[in-house]
Amino acid sequence: MMSSTRGIMPTCQEMTRLLSDAMDRSLPFHLRMRMYIHLAICTFCQRYHDQLKLLRHMLRNHGARLDEAQHPQAPSLSPEARQRIQRTLEEPRQ
């Protein structure tokens, strides 16, 4: 990151934390704007963001099947626990 942008945009190291946080909760407007600007110019952080989104998608949509296929005899969650977790994942983030 160029030194002239220091203070305006987060560093790439800060972006990794912010991108992860943004997946779990809604960030304040000023942080979202700083992230948006950084992602617009930093291809490395764009790639990292795309990878996070892909991982989240794969785990949400295929996680149980991947786990069962790799470890068919492993202990698993009860159907009730799976439903609670699924409902939590589907709830809108605040």
Side-chain angles (χ1 to χ4, degrees):
M1 210 42 47
M2 297 170 20
S3 62
S4 64
T5 61
R6 183 166 287 161
I8 296 171
M9 282 191 290
T11 64
C12 292
Q13 184 176 5
E14 292 168 328
M15 279 296 290
T16 59
R17 181 184 52 80
L18 289 171
L19 289 168
S20 180
D21 287 349
M23 296 188 100
D24 296 327
R25 63 185 175 90
S26 179
L27 297 178
F29 178 76
H30 73 281
L31 285 179
R32 290 193 316 262
M33 288 299 101
R34 291 173 67 202
M35 286 174 51
Y36 176 77
I37 293 168
H38 185 106
L39 288 172
I41 63 170
C42 182
T43 57
F44 298 111
C45 288
Q46 288 171 14
R47 287 183 196 157
Y48 180 73
H49 185 231
D50 291 342
Q51 290 169 354
L52 285 177
K53 290 188 303 186
L54 177 63
L55 284 171
R56 182 181 202 120
H57 171 79
M58 294 298 292
L59 289 171
R60 279 189 169 174
N61 296 308
H62 308 289
R65 284 181 274 165
L66 291 172
D67 188 47
E68 291 167 3
Q70 292 175 0
H71 307 285
Q73 302 301 321
S76 63
L77 295 172
S78 69
E80 295 83 15
R82 287 180 186 265
Q83 288 174 351
R84 283 194 310 271
I85 292 169
Q86 187 64 40
R87 281 193 306 268
T88 301
L89 289 173
E90 292 171 354
E91 288 176 0
R93 301 218 164 29
Q94 298 178 10

